[in-house]
Coordinates of all heavy atoms in Angstrom, one line a residue:
M27 N -129.3 -33.5 127.4 CA -129.4 -34.2 128.7 C -129.5 -33.1 129.7 O -128.7 -32.1 129.7 CB -128.1 -35.0 128.9 CG -128.0 -35.8 130.1 SD -126.4 -36.5 130.2 CE -126.7 -38.0 130.8
S28 N -130.4 -33.2 130.6 CA -130.7 -32.2 131.6 C -129.9 -32.5 132.9 O -129.6 -33.6 133.3 CB -132.2 -32.1 132.0 OG -132.6 -33.3 132.6
E29 N -129.5 -31.4 133.6 CA -128.8 -31.5 134.8 C -129.8 -31.9 136.0 O -130.9 -31.5 135.9 CB -128.1 -30.2 135.2 CG -126.9 -29.9 134.5 CD -126.1 -28.7 135.0 OE1 -126.1 -28.5 136.3 OE2 -125.6 -28.0 134.2
R30 N -129.3 -32.6 136.9 CA -130.1 -33.0 138.1 C -130.3 -31.7 138.9 O -129.4 -30.9 139.2 CB -129.3 -34.0 138.9 CG -130.1 -34.5 140.2 CD -129.3 -35.5 141.0 NE -128.2 -34.9 141.7 CZ -128.2 -34.2 142.8 NH1 -129.4 -34.0 143.4 NH2 -127.2 -33.7 143.4
R31 N -131.5 -31.5 139.3 CA -131.8 -30.3 140.2 C -131.4 -30.6 141.6 O -131.7 -31.7 142.1 CB -133.3 -30.1 140.0 CG -133.7 -28.8 140.7 CD -135.2 -28.6 140.4 NE -135.7 -27.7 141.3 CZ -136.8 -27.1 141.3 NH1 -137.7 -27.4 140.3 NH2 -137.2 -26.3 142.2
P32 N -130.8 -29.7 142.3 CA -130.4 -29.9 143.7 C -131.6 -30.1 144.6 O -132.6 -29.5 144.4 CB -129.7 -28.6 144.1 CG -129.3 -27.9 142.8 CD -130.3 -28.4 141.8
T33 N -131.4 -31.0 145.6 CA -132.5 -31.2 146.5 C -132.6 -30.1 147.5 O -131.7 -29.2 147.5 CB -132.2 -32.5 147.4 OG1 -131.0 -32.3 148.2 CG2 -132.0 -33.7 146.5
K34 N -133.7 -30.0 148.2 CA -133.9 -28.9 149.2 C -132.7 -29.0 150.2 O -132.2 -27.9 150.6 CB -135.2 -29.1 149.9 CG -135.5 -28.0 150.9 CD -136.8 -28.1 151.6 CE -137.0 -26.9 152.6 NZ -138.2 -27.0 153.3
R35 N -132.3 -30.1 150.6 CA -131.2 -30.3 151.6 C -129.9 -29.7 151.0 O -129.2 -28.9 151.7 CB -131.0 -31.7 152.0 CG -129.9 -31.9 153.0 CD -129.9 -33.3 153.6 NE -128.8 -33.5 154.5 CZ -128.8 -33.0 155.8 NH1 -129.8 -32.3 156.2 NH2 -127.8 -33.2 156.5
E36 N -129.7 -30.0 149.8 CA -128.5 -29.4 149.1 C -128.5 -27.9 148.9 O -127.5 -27.2 149.1 CB -128.3 -30.1 147.7 CG -127.9 -31.6 147.8 CD -128.0 -32.3 146.4 OE1 -128.8 -31.8 145.6 OE2 -127.3 -33.3 146.3
R37 N -129.7 -27.4 148.6 CA -129.9 -26.0 148.5 C -129.7 -25.3 149.8 O -129.1 -24.2 149.9 CB -131.3 -25.6 147.9 CG -131.4 -26.0 146.4 CD -132.7 -25.5 145.8 NE -133.9 -25.7 146.5 CZ -134.7 -26.8 146.3 NH1 -134.4 -27.7 145.4 NH2 -135.8 -26.9 147.0
T38 N -130.2 -25.9 150.9 CA -130.1 -25.3 152.2 C -128.6 -25.3 152.7 O -128.1 -24.3 153.2 CB -131.0 -26.0 153.2 OG1 -132.3 -26.0 152.8 CG2 -130.8 -25.4 154.6
R39 N -127.9 -26.4 152.4 CA -126.5 -26.4 152.8 C -125.7 -25.4 152.0 O -124.9 -24.7 152.6 CB -126.0 -27.8 152.5 CG -124.5 -28.0 152.9 CD -124.0 -29.4 152.6 NE -122.6 -29.5 152.7 CZ -122.0 -29.9 153.9 NH1 -122.7 -30.1 154.9 NH2 -120.7 -30.0 153.9
R40 N -126.0 -25.2 150.7 CA -125.4 -24.2 149.9 C -125.7 -22.8 150.5 O -124.8 -22.0 150.5 CB -125.9 -24.4 148.4 CG -125.5 -23.3 147.5 CD -124.0 -23.0 147.3 NE -123.2 -24.1 147.3 CZ -121.9 -24.1 147.9 NH1 -121.4 -23.0 148.4 NH2 -121.2 -25.2 147.9
K41 N -126.9 -22.6 150.9 CA -127.3 -21.3 151.4 C -126.5 -21.0 152.7 O -126.0 -19.9 152.9 CB -128.8 -21.3 151.7 CG -129.4 -20.0 152.1 CD -130.9 -20.2 152.3 CE -131.6 -18.9 152.6 NZ -133.0 -19.0 152.8
L42 N -126.3 -22.0 153.5 CA -125.5 -21.8 154.8 C -124.1 -21.6 154.4 O -123.4 -20.7 155.0 CB -125.6 -23.1 155.6 CG -127.0 -23.2 156.4 CD1 -127.1 -24.7 156.9 CD2 -127.0 -22.3 157.6
L43 N -123.5 -22.3 153.5 CA -122.1 -22.1 153.1 C -121.9 -20.7 152.5 O -120.9 -20.1 152.8 CB -121.6 -23.2 152.2 CG -121.5 -24.6 152.9 CD1 -121.3 -25.7 151.8 CD2 -120.3 -24.6 153.8
D44 N -122.8 -20.3 151.6 CA -122.6 -19.0 151.0 C -122.7 -17.9 152.1 O -121.9 -17.0 152.1 CB -123.7 -18.8 150.0 CG -123.5 -19.6 148.7 OD1 -122.4 -20.2 148.5 OD2 -124.5 -19.7 147.9
A45 N -123.7 -18.0 153.0 CA -123.8 -17.1 154.1 C -122.6 -17.1 155.0 O -122.1 -16.0 155.4 CB -125.1 -17.4 154.9
G46 N -122.0 -18.3 155.2 CA -120.8 -18.4 156.0 C -119.6 -17.7 155.4 O -118.8 -17.1 156.1
M47 N -119.5 -17.8 154.1 CA -118.4 -17.1 153.4 C -118.5 -15.6 153.6 O -117.5 -14.9 153.9 CB -118.4 -17.4 151.9 CG -118.0 -18.9 151.7 SD -116.4 -19.2 152.3 CE -115.5 -19.4 150.8
H48 N -119.7 -15.1 153.5 CA -119.9 -13.6 153.7 C -119.6 -13.2 155.2 O -119.0 -12.2 155.4 CB -121.4 -13.2 153.3 CG -121.6 -13.3 151.9 ND1 -121.0 -12.5 151.0 CD2 -122.5 -14.1 151.2 CE1 -121.5 -12.7 149.7 NE2 -122.3 -13.7 149.9
V49 N -120.1 -14.0 156.1 CA -119.9 -13.7 157.5 C -118.4 -13.8 157.8 O -117.9 -13.0 158.5 CB -120.7 -14.6 158.4 CG1 -120.4 -14.5 159.9 CG2 -122.2 -14.4 158.2
L50 N -117.8 -14.8 157.3 CA -116.3 -15.0 157.5 C -115.6 -13.8 157.0 O -114.6 -13.3 157.6 CB -115.8 -16.3 156.9 CG -114.4 -16.7 157.1 CD1 -114.1 -16.9 158.6 CD2 -114.0 -17.9 156.3
A51 N -115.9 -13.3 155.8 CA -115.3 -12.1 155.3 C -115.4 -10.9 156.1 O -114.5 -10.1 156.3 CB -115.8 -11.8 153.9
E52 N -116.6 -10.8 156.8 CA -116.9 -9.6 157.6 C -116.3 -9.8 159.0 O -115.8 -8.8 159.6 CB -118.4 -9.4 157.8 CG -119.1 -9.0 156.5 CD -120.6 -8.9 156.7 OE1 -121.1 -9.2 157.8 OE2 -121.3 -8.6 155.7
R53 N -116.4 -11.0 159.6 CA -116.1 -11.1 161.0 C -114.8 -11.9 161.3 O -114.4 -12.0 162.4 CB -117.3 -11.8 161.8 CG -118.5 -11.0 161.6 CD -119.4 -11.1 162.7 NE -118.7 -11.1 164.0 CZ -119.3 -11.3 165.1 NH1 -120.6 -11.4 165.2 NH2 -118.6 -11.3 166.3
G54 N -114.3 -12.6 160.3 CA -113.2 -13.4 160.5 C -113.4 -14.6 161.4 O -114.5 -15.1 161.4
E55 N -112.5 -14.9 162.2 CA -112.6 -16.0 163.1 C -113.6 -15.9 164.2 O -113.9 -16.8 165.0 CB -111.2 -16.3 163.8 CG -110.2 -16.8 162.7 CD -109.4 -18.0 163.1 OE1 -109.8 -18.6 164.1 OE2 -108.5 -18.2 162.4
A56 N -114.2 -14.7 164.4 CA -115.2 -14.4 165.3 C -116.6 -14.9 164.9 O -117.6 -14.8 165.6 CB -115.3 -12.9 165.6
L57 N -116.6 -15.6 163.7 CA -117.8 -16.1 163.1 C -118.5 -17.1 164.1 O -117.8 -17.9 164.8 CB -117.5 -16.9 161.9 CG -118.5 -17.8 161.2 CD1 -118.3 -17.7 159.7 CD2 -118.4 -19.2 161.7
T58 N -119.8 -16.9 164.3 CA -120.6 -17.9 165.1 C -121.7 -18.5 164.3 O -122.1 -18.0 163.2 CB -121.2 -17.1 166.3 OG1 -122.2 -16.2 165.8 CG2 -120.2 -16.4 167.1
A59 N -122.2 -19.6 164.8 CA -123.3 -20.2 164.1 C -124.5 -19.3 164.1 O -125.3 -19.2 163.1 CB -123.7 -21.5 164.8
T60 N -124.7 -18.5 165.1 CA -125.8 -17.5 165.2 C -125.7 -16.5 164.0 O -126.7 -16.2 163.4 CB -125.8 -16.8 166.5 OG1 -126.0 -17.8 167.6 CG2 -127.0 -15.8 166.6
D61 N -124.5 -16.0 163.8 CA -124.3 -15.1 162.7 C -124.6 -15.7 161.3 O -125.3 -15.1 160.5 CB -122.8 -14.7 162.6 CG -122.3 -13.9 163.8 OD1 -123.1 -13.2 164.4 OD2 -121.1 -14.1 164.1
V62 N -124.2 -17.0 161.2 CA -124.5 -17.7 159.9 C -126.0 -17.9 159.7 O -126.5 -17.6 158.6 CB -123.7 -19.0 159.8 CG1 -124.1 -19.8 158.6 CG2 -122.2 -18.7 159.9
V63 N -126.7 -18.4 160.7 CA -128.1 -18.7 160.5 C -128.9 -17.4 160.3 O -129.8 -17.3 159.5 CB -128.7 -19.5 161.7 CG1 -128.1 -20.8 161.8 CG2 -128.7 -18.8 163.0
A64 N -128.4 -16.3 160.9 CA -129.1 -15.0 160.7 C -128.9 -14.5 159.2 O -129.8 -14.1 158.5 CB -128.6 -13.9 161.6
A65 N -127.7 -14.7 158.7 CA -127.3 -14.3 157.3 C -128.0 -15.2 156.3 O -128.4 -14.7 155.3 CB -125.8 -14.3 157.1
A66 N -128.2 -16.5 156.7 CA -128.9 -17.4 155.7 C -130.4 -17.4 155.9 O -131.1 -18.0 155.1 CB -128.3 -18.8 156.0
D67 N -130.9 -16.8 157.0 CA -132.3 -16.7 157.3 C -132.9 -18.1 157.4 O -133.9 -18.5 156.8 CB -133.1 -15.9 156.2 CG -134.5 -15.6 156.6 OD1 -134.7 -15.4 157.8 OD2 -135.4 -15.5 155.7
V68 N -132.2 -18.9 158.3 CA -132.7 -20.2 158.7 C -132.6 -20.4 160.2 O -132.0 -19.5 160.8 CB -131.8 -21.4 158.0 CG1 -132.0 -21.3 156.5 CG2 -130.4 -21.3 158.4
S69 N -133.1 -21.4 160.7 CA -133.1 -21.6 162.2 C -131.8 -22.3 162.7 O -131.0 -22.9 161.9 CB -134.2 -22.5 162.6 OG -134.0 -23.8 162.2
N70 N -131.5 -22.1 163.9 CA -130.3 -22.8 164.5 C -130.4 -24.3 164.3 O -129.3 -24.9 164.0 CB -130.2 -22.5 166.0 CG -129.6 -21.1 166.3 OD1 -129.0 -20.5 165.5 ND2 -129.9 -20.7 167.5
G71 N -131.5 -24.9 164.4 CA -131.7 -26.3 164.2 C -131.3 -26.7 162.8 O -130.7 -27.8 162.6
T72 N -131.6 -25.9 161.9 CA -131.2 -26.2 160.5 C -129.7 -26.2 160.3 O -129.2 -27.1 159.7 CB -131.8 -25.1 159.5 OG1 -133.2 -25.2 159.6 CG2 -131.4 -25.4 158.1
F73 N -129.0 -25.3 161.0 CA -127.5 -25.3 161.0 C -127.0 -26.6 161.5 O -126.2 -27.3 160.8 CB -127.0 -24.2 161.8 CG -125.5 -24.1 161.9 CD1 -124.8 -23.3 160.9 CD2 -124.8 -24.8 162.9 CE1 -123.4 -23.3 161.0 CE2 -123.4 -24.7 162.9 CZ -122.7 -24.0 162.0
Y74 N -127.6 -27.1 162.6 CA -127.1 -28.3 163.2 C -127.6 -29.6 162.6 O -127.1 -30.7 162.8 CB -127.4 -28.3 164.7 CG -126.5 -27.2 165.4 CD1 -127.1 -26.0 165.8 CD2 -125.2 -27.4 165.6 CE1 -126.3 -25.1 166.4 CE2 -124.4 -26.5 166.2 CZ -124.9 -25.3 166.6 OH -124.1 -24.3 167.2
N75 N -128.5 -29.5 161.7 CA -128.9 -30.6 160.8 C -127.9 -30.9 159.8 O -127.8 -32.0 159.2 CB -130.3 -30.4 160.2 CG -131.4 -30.6 161.1 OD1 -131.3 -31.4 162.0 ND2 -132.5 -29.9 160.8
H76 N -127.1 -29.8 159.4 CA -126.1 -29.9 158.4 C -124.7 -30.0 158.9 O -123.8 -30.6 158.2 CB -126.2 -28.7 157.4 CG -127.5 -28.7 156.6 ND1 -127.6 -29.3 155.4 CD2 -128.7 -28.2 156.9 CE1 -128.8 -29.2 154.9 NE2 -129.5 -28.5 155.8
F77 N -124.4 -29.5 160.0 CA -123.1 -29.4 160.6 C -123.1 -29.8 162.1 O -124.0 -29.4 162.8 CB -122.5 -28.0 160.4 CG -122.5 -27.6 159.0 CD1 -123.5 -26.7 158.6 CD2 -121.6 -28.1 158.1 CE1 -123.6 -26.3 157.2 CE2 -121.6 -27.7 156.7 CZ -122.6 -26.8 156.3
V78 N -122.1 -30.5 162.5 CA -122.0 -31.0 163.9 C -121.8 -29.8 164.8 O -122.5 -29.7 165.9 CB -120.9 -32.0 164.1 CG1 -120.7 -32.4 165.6 CG2 -121.1 -33.2 163.2
D79 N -121.0 -28.9 164.5 CA -120.7 -27.7 165.3 C -120.0 -26.7 164.4 O -119.8 -26.9 163.2 CB -119.8 -28.1 166.5 CG -118.5 -28.8 166.2 OD1 -118.0 -28.7 165.0 OD2 -117.9 -29.5 167.0
R80 N -119.5 -25.6 165.1 CA -118.9 -24.5 164.4 C -117.6 -25.0 163.6 O -117.3 -24.6 162.5 CB -118.5 -23.4 165.3 CG -117.8 -22.2 164.7 CD -117.3 -21.3 165.8 NE -116.5 -20.2 165.3 CZ -115.2 -20.2 165.1 NH1 -114.6 -21.3 165.4 NH2 -114.6 -19.2 164.6
D81 N -116.8 -25.9 164.3 CA -115.6 -26.4 163.7 C -115.9 -27.2 162.4 O -115.2 -27.1 161.4 CB -114.8 -27.2 164.7 CG -114.2 -26.4 165.8 OD1 -114.0 -25.1 165.6 OD2 -113.9 -26.9 166.9
D82 N -116.9 -28.0 162.5 CA -117.3 -28.8 161.3 C -117.7 -27.8 160.2 O -117.4 -28.1 159.0 CB -118.5 -29.7 161.7 CG -118.9 -30.6 160.6 OD1 -118.1 -31.1 159.8 OD2 -120.2 -30.8 160.4
F83 N -118.4 -26.8 160.5 CA -118.8 -25.8 159.5 C -117.6 -25.1 158.9 O -117.5 -24.9 157.7 CB -119.7 -24.7 160.1 CG -120.2 -23.7 159.2 CD1 -121.1 -24.0 158.2 CD2 -119.8 -22.4 159.2 CE1 -121.6 -23.1 157.3 CE2 -120.2 -21.4 158.4 CZ -121.1 -21.8 157.4
I84 N -116.6 -24.7 159.8 CA -115.4 -24.0 159.3 C -114.6 -25.0 158.4 O -114.1 -24.6 157.3 CB -114.5 -23.6 160.5 CG1 -115.2 -22.5 161.3 CG2 -113.1 -23.1 160.0 CD1 -115.4 -21.2 160.6
N85 N -114.6 -26.3 158.7 CA -113.9 -27.3 157.8 C -114.6 -27.4 156.5 O -114.0 -27.5 155.5 CB -113.9 -28.6 158.5 CG -112.9 -28.7 159.6 OD1 -111.9 -27.9 159.7 ND2 -113.1 -29.6 160.6
A86 N -116.0 -27.3 156.5 CA -116.7 -27.4 155.2 C -116.4 -26.1 154.4 O -116.3 -26.2 153.2 CB -118.2 -27.5 155.5
L87 N -116.3 -24.9 155.1 CA -116.0 -23.7 154.3 C -114.6 -23.8 153.7 O -114.4 -23.4 152.6 CB -116.0 -22.5 155.3 CG -117.4 -21.9 155.6 CD1 -117.2 -20.8 156.6 CD2 -118.2 -21.5 154.4
A88 N -113.7 -24.3 154.5 CA -112.3 -24.5 154.0 C -112.3 -25.4 152.8 O -111.6 -25.2 151.7 CB -111.4 -25.0 155.1
H89 N -113.0 -26.5 152.9 CA -113.1 -27.5 151.8 C -113.7 -26.8 150.5 O -113.2 -27.0 149.4 CB -113.9 -28.7 152.2 CG -114.0 -29.8 151.1 ND1 -115.0 -29.7 150.2 CD2 -113.2 -30.8 150.9 CE1 -114.8 -30.8 149.4 NE2 -113.7 -31.4 149.8
E90 N -114.8 -26.1 150.7 CA -115.4 -25.4 149.6 C -114.4 -24.4 148.9 O -114.3 -24.3 147.7 CB -116.6 -24.6 150.1 CG -117.8 -25.4 150.4 CD -118.5 -26.0 149.2 OE1 -118.7 -25.3 148.2 OE2 -118.7 -27.2 149.2
S91 N -113.7 -23.7 149.7 CA -112.7 -22.7 149.2 C -111.6 -23.4 148.4 O -111.3 -22.9 147.3 CB -112.1 -21.9 150.4 OG -113.1 -21.1 151.0
L92 N -111.1 -24.5 149.0 CA -110.0 -25.2 148.3 C -110.5 -25.8 147.0 O -109.8 -25.8 146.0 CB -109.4 -26.2 149.2 CG -108.6 -25.7 150.4 CD1 -108.2 -26.8 151.3 CD2 -107.4 -24.9 149.9
T93 N -111.7 -26.4 147.0 CA -112.3 -26.9 145.8 C -112.5 -25.9 144.7 O -112.1 -26.1 143.6 CB -113.7 -27.6 146.2 OG1 -113.4 -28.6 147.1 CG2 -114.3 -28.2 144.9
G94 N -113.0 -24.7 145.1 CA -113.1 -23.6 144.2 C -111.8 -23.2 143.6 O -111.7 -22.9 142.4
L95 N -110.8 -23.1 144.4 CA -109.5 -22.7 143.9 C -108.9 -23.7 142.9 O -108.3 -23.4 141.9 CB -108.5 -22.5 145.1 CG -108.7 -21.3 145.9 CD1 -107.7 -21.3 147.1 CD2 -108.4 -20.0 145.1
T96 N -109.1 -25.0 143.3 CA -108.6 -26.1 142.4 C -109.3 -26.1 141.1 O -108.7 -26.2 140.0 CB -108.8 -27.4 143.1 OG1 -108.1 -27.4 144.4 CG2 -108.3 -28.6 142.3
E97 N -110.6 -25.9 141.1 CA -111.4 -25.8 139.9 C -111.0 -24.6 139.0 O -110.8 -24.8 137.8 CB -112.9 -25.8 140.2 CG -113.4 -27.1 140.7 CD -114.9 -27.0 141.2 OE1 -115.4 -25.9 141.1 OE2 -115.4 -28.0 141.6
R98 N -110.8 -23.5 139.6 CA -110.3 -22.3 138.8 C -109.0 -22.5 138.2 O -108.7 -22.1 137.1 CB -110.4 -21.0 139.7 CG -111.8 -20.6 139.9 CD -111.9 -19.2 140.5 NE -111.4 -19.1 141.8 CZ -112.1 -19.3 142.9 NH1 -113.4 -19.6 142.8 NH2 -111.5 -19.2 144.1
S99 N -108.1 -23.1 139.0 CA -106.7 -23.4 138.5 C -106.7 -24.4 137.3 O -106.0 -24.2 136.4 CB -105.8 -24.0 139.6 OG -105.6 -23.0 140.6
A100 N -107.6 -25.3 137.4 CA -107.7 -26.3 136.3 C -108.3 -25.7 135.0 O -107.9 -26.1 133.9 CB -108.6 -27.5 136.7
D101 N -109.1 -24.6 135.2 CA -109.6 -23.9 134.0 C -108.6 -23.0 133.3 O -108.8 -22.7 132.2 CB -110.8 -23.0 134.4 CG -112.0 -23.9 134.8 OD1 -112.1 -25.1 134.5 OD2 -112.9 -23.3 135.5
D102 N -107.5 -22.6 134.0 CA -106.5 -21.7 133.4 C -105.6 -22.4 132.5 O -105.4 -23.5 132.2 CB -105.7 -21.1 134.5 CG -106.5 -20.1 135.3 OD1 -107.5 -19.6 134.8 OD2 -106.0 -19.7 136.4

């Protein structure tokens, strides 16, 4: 059985979240949407197609982090 391939939208969101994790590690709370789009090599409009604002993005990053921790804990 083959896995479903992520859609372009899903891949772009993942790219933004991954870039956001790197930017957050470097800049901390000074993270801006401009920093994230530059790191992800996408436009500002793309960011706002996926997230309402910076706070929405930060919430998504927190959710991703907690989900990752939960999954790793379950594997132990």
Side-chain angles (χ1 to χ4, degrees):
M27 185 185 218
S28 65
E29 280 189 40
R30 182 183 70 82
R31 189 174 159 171
T33 65
K34 181 178 180 184
R35 180 167 179 78
E36 291 167 335
R37 289 190 310 269
T38 301
R39 182 180 172 89
R40 168 61 32 217
K41 188 176 183 180
L42 285 162
L43 290 168
D44 290 346
M47 291 300 250
H48 290 294
V49 172
L50 185 63
E52 291 175 2
R53 302 212 38 186
E55 296 226 12
L57 170 146
T58 66
T60 302
D61 297 329
V62 174
V63 299
D67 195 29
V68 298
S69 70
N70 280 340
T72 298
F73 180 90
Y74 291 105
N75 282 333
H76 291 270
F77 305 100
V78 174
D79 56 20
R80 178 187 175 274
D81 290 339
D82 184 37
F83 181 71
I84 296 293
N85 287 335
L87 284 178
H89 182 272
E90 287 288 313
S91 295
L92 291 173
T93 300
L95 288 172
T96 303
E97 289 173 356
R98 283 192 294 274
S99 293
D101 290 342
D102 290 342

